């Protein structure tokens, strides 16, 4: 364990800039080889403001599981957000920043006992449940908890449905659980739901809020004091998406069913805050041209591009989060787009990022840019097969810097001026590549000739 943990640094950008421009700056000297993210803190600030403007009554509690990057969590803490934590480690991360426990909801309806004890010791007392056994555990480990019943109400379509795993039936099960909790002497204070992550339907929030209203009555009748409504996550996060429509649905359902301001309303957005702030840059390190099939023209030939991040790294989102990712070449080209596929670096055939795509011809050393890569990517990534997961290079526009550096837990120490370079990959020194021991054998000659030799080989074959 490191004793001194360095504060995450954000480079303050002056003048006009873009994530693509920052990427170009980082890769232009040819030293950077590993994939990396450019994270724009300004995107998080803009989204927080937009949320407050559209849903002033709904307090966002950021779902940490979506992306637990310390800088993202610190920025949201600085802006005043609350947090949805699902485990002991997530609670530790957030309270470790100094966030008070009353700004945290332990929103996992199926919690290990030791995590409940930890939450209790940390002072995190608002927790969700959806079953009888969770009530028994709560009685044993945190009898003073403020419980929130999680009900099921699914969007007709969602990128990642959650109802199959969590949420009791609002009609068939919830009223009985509310009575049981009262009999056990436990306090239920509210209702929560999650309509599904990346929900495609907005009307579902109105249905769920209506169910919640009925359960507020049932809870009060059972002897509880109901005051907390948690509308969960499910909000879109990619650039170009908007929460205007869903905010109107939620606002009017709240006016209809919860007009009293004595009811506190929170939400647990994950994707909304994380997705668009992170742009991934990955490098093509190998290419393979498949010969055109019989009867096909040269134009229809297919090229395989191998990049240094794949489905075991950031692109796990393709498998687990059902994301559709888009590759944009960093260098513009006037050449025609051609059929291709994009593969990750591991030796697994499953490691395919884009099975059928079209790109202008790319070379070894070309960079591809993937926008909207902040949600459900980094925390799941593994360095499988020895390929490192990408580092995050954070930036913020100068006009926000003066405001953010005053907002605890961010401090002046989090920010630096200057160019974003590639410090984590220092210029290659002979010591890096050769084993230091004098006894070790000399490194063998490379198996393949350097790239420029390939041209001669090809000519010789013709
Ligand atoms: C994952 C999760 C969220 C975040 O969902 P998004 O769709 O990313 O907004 C919120 N609440 C709970 C309980 C979750 O499990």
């Amino acid at each position: 364990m490191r004793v001194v943990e360095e504060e995450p640094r954000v480079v303050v950008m002056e003048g006009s800039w873009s994530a693509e421009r920052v990427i170009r700056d980082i890769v232009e000297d040819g030293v950077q080889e590993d994939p990396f993210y450019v994270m724009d803190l300004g995107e998080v600030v803009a989204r927080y403001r937009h949320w407050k403007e559209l849903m002033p009554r709904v307090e966002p509690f950021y779902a940490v599981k979506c992306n637990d990057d310390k800088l993202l969590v610190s920025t949201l803490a600085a802006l005043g957000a609350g947090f949805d934590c699902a485990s002991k480690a997530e609670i530790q991360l957030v309270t470790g920043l100094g966030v008070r426990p009353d700004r945290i909801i332990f929103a996992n309806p199926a919690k290990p006992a030791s995590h409940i004890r930890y939450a209790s010791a940390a002072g995190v007392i608002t927790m969700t449940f959806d079953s009888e056994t969770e009530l028994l555990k709560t009685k044993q480990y945190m009898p003073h908890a403020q419980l929130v019943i999680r009900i099921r109400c699914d969007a007709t379509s969602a990128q990642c449905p959650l109802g199959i795993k969590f949420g009791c039936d609002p009609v068939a099960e919830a009223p009985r659980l509310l009575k049981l909790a009262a009999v056990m002497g436990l306090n239920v204070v509210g209702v929560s739901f999650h309509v599904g992550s990346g929900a495609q339907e907005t009307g579902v929030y109105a249905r769920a809020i209506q169910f919640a209203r009925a359960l507020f009555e049932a809870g009060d009748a059972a002897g509880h004091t109901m005051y907390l409504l948690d509308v969960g996550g499910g909000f879109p996060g990619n650039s170009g998406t908007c929460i205007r429509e869903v905010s109107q649905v939620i606002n009017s359902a709240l006016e209809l069913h919860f007009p009293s301001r004595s009811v506190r309303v929170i939400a647990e957005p994950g994707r909304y805050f994380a997705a668009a702030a992170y742009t991934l840059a990955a490098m093509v390190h190998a290419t393979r041209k498949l010969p055109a099939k019989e009867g096909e023209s040269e134009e229809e030939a297919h090229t395989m591009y191998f990049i240094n991040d794949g489905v075991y790294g950031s692109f796990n989102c393709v498998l687990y989060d059902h994301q559709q990712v888009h590759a944009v070449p960093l260098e513009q080209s006037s050449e025609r787009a051609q059929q291709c596929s994009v593969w990750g670096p591991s030796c697994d055939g499953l490691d395919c990022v884009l099975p059928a795509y079209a790109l202008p011809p790319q070379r070894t050393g070309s960079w591809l840019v993937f926008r909207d890569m902040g949600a459900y990517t980094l925390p799941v990534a593994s360095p499988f097969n020895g390929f490192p997961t990408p580092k995050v290079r954070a930036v913020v526009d100068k006009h926000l810097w003066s405001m953010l550096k005053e907002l605890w837990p961010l401090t002046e120490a989090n920010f630096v001026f200057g160019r974003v370079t590639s410090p984590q990959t220092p210029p290659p020194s002979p010591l890096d590549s050769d084993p230091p021991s004098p006894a070790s054998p000399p490194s063998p000659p490379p198996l393949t000739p350097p790239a420029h030799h390939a041209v001669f080989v090809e000519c010789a074959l013709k």
Side-chain angles (χ1 to χ4, degrees):
M1 204 177 134
R2 277 173 299 169
V3 181
V4 183
E5 199 175 322
E6 219 193 298
E7 285 303 311
R9 289 299 178 92
V10 185
V11 176
V12 181
M13 306 301 291
E14 299 180 272
S16 83
W17 64 277
S18 66
E20 280 74 16
R21 191 94 71 83
V22 174
I23 292 170
R24 217 165 272 138
D25 273 359
I26 293 174
V27 306
E28 73 175 348
D29 60 7
V31 172
Q32 178 75 30
E33 196 190 49
D34 291 336
F36 62 94
Y37 283 97
V38 170
M39 186 263 201
D40 177 11
L41 247 63
E43 184 69 34
V44 182
V45 176
R47 282 172 173 269
Y48 189 82
R49 288 182 174 154
H50 194 57
W51 179 288
K52 287 276 157 188
E53 194 188 312
L54 291 177
M55 287 184 280
R57 232 189 118 180
V58 185
E59 298 169 57
F61 276 52
Y62 172 65
V64 176
K65 85 163 185 287
C66 183
N67 186 338
D68 60 356
D69 183 6
K70 196 173 165 193
L71 206 47
L72 173 61
V73 175
S74 303
T75 304
L76 285 163
L79 293 168
F83 295 92
D84 152 7
C85 297
S87 62
K88 172 179 165 177
E90 289 186 358
I91 294 172
Q92 220 160 12
L93 169 73
V94 176
T95 54
L97 294 171
V99 173
R100 286 192 9 212
D102 59 2
R103 276 169 67 186
I104 296 173
I105 177 164
F106 192 177
N108 181 347
K111 300 168 281 297
S114 64
H115 296 221
I116 302 177
R117 285 198 299 267
Y118 182 85
S120 182
V124 176
I125 57 167
T126 310
M127 308 197 297
T128 60
F129 77 101
D130 64 0
S131 71
E132 196 172 314
T133 54
E134 207 65 9
L135 289 176
L136 292 169
K137 261 188 315 195
T138 305
K139 182 76 187 166
Q140 190 172 359
Y141 300 111
M142 207 199 290
H144 58 289
Q146 308 231 308
L147 288 168
V148 176
I149 188 165
R150 166 109 169 237
I151 58 167
R152 178 173 184 178
C153 187
D154 297 344
T156 47
S157 145
Q159 195 172 326
C160 285
L162 295 170
I164 188 175
K165 186 164 182 184
F166 294 122
C168 63
D169 189 279
V171 177
E173 298 174 279
R176 190 187 143 265
L177 284 171
L178 289 171
K179 279 188 205 147
L180 181 64
V183 170
M184 291 168 74
L186 294 166
N187 311 305
V188 180
V189 299
V191 178
S192 80
F193 53 82
H194 195 307
V195 299
S197 192
Q200 304 290 316
E201 185 212 4
T202 53
V204 63
Y205 288 94
R207 288 201 299 280
I209 290 170
Q210 185 170 4
F211 280 128
R213 175 73 257 170
L215 290 172
F216 265 56
E217 311 300 342
D220 284 333
H224 300 295
T225 306
M226 306 287 280
Y227 68 86
L228 184 65
L229 173 65
D230 177 355
V231 301
F235 305 90
N238 284 2
S239 9
T241 58
C242 188
I243 56 165
R244 191 171 294 278
E245 185 188 320
V246 66
S247 72
Q248 284 162 358
V249 172
I250 291 176
N251 289 339
S252 43
L254 291 178
E255 279 318 308
L256 181 62
H257 300 294
F258 292 93
S260 162
R261 293 303 190 260
S262 63
V263 172
R264 184 178 181 195
V265 186
I266 69 172
E268 300 164 351
R271 204 180 287 286
Y272 172 75
F273 282 119
Y278 291 74
T279 303
L280 176 69
M283 196 187 79
V284 176
H285 61 261
T287 69
R288 185 151 74 96
K289 202 161 180 179
L290 303 180
K293 292 195 198 90
E294 261 207 40
E296 278 182 357
S297 68
E298 187 64 18
E299 309 257 286
E300 289 167 285
H302 181 113
T303 309
M304 298 171 73
Y305 295 115
F306 295 81
I307 61 172
N308 49 8
D309 199 353
V311 302
Y312 290 97
S314 306
F315 295 105
N316 70 78
C317 63
V318 172
L319 297 186
Y320 297 134
D321 192 37
H322 315 290
Q323 276 188 45
Q324 297 204 326
V325 298
H326 298 282
V328 179
L330 184 62
E331 294 311 327
Q332 293 199 345
S333 159
S334 54
E335 291 177 273
R336 277 183 42 166
Q338 295 172 354
Q339 293 184 47
C340 66
S341 48
V342 179
W343 301 77
S346 76
C347 294
D348 185 346
L350 176 79
D351 193 358
C352 184
V353 176
L354 291 162
Y357 210 63
L359 287 172
Q362 302 293 303
R363 277 169 287 280
T364 305
S366 297
W367 286 83
L368 296 178
V369 175
F370 298 83
R371 297 202 129 265
D372 300 318
M373 285 291 291
Y376 305 108
T377 51
L378 264 182
V380 198
S382 96
F384 172 59
N385 231 180
F387 294 98
T389 56
K391 300 251 174 17
V392 177
R393 322 298 306 284
V395 294
V396 70
D397 193 85
K398 192 176 173 201
H399 86 278
L400 287 172
W401 159 75
S402 46
M403 182 263 296
L404 284 174
K405 72 183 169 65
E406 306 291 335
L407 288 183
W408 175 92
L410 295 176
T411 70
E412 203 137 359
N414 287 112
F415 298 91
V416 285
F417 278 80
R419 256 186 83 205
V420 192
T421 51
S422 46
Q424 86 271 14
T425 38
S429 90
L431 286 177
D432 283 344
S433 41
D434 291 335
S437 156
S440 59
S443 45
L447 289 173
T448 47
H452 56 273
H453 286 178
V455 179
F456 293 109
V457 174
E458 201 160 301
C459 290
L461 286 173
K462 274 188 179 153

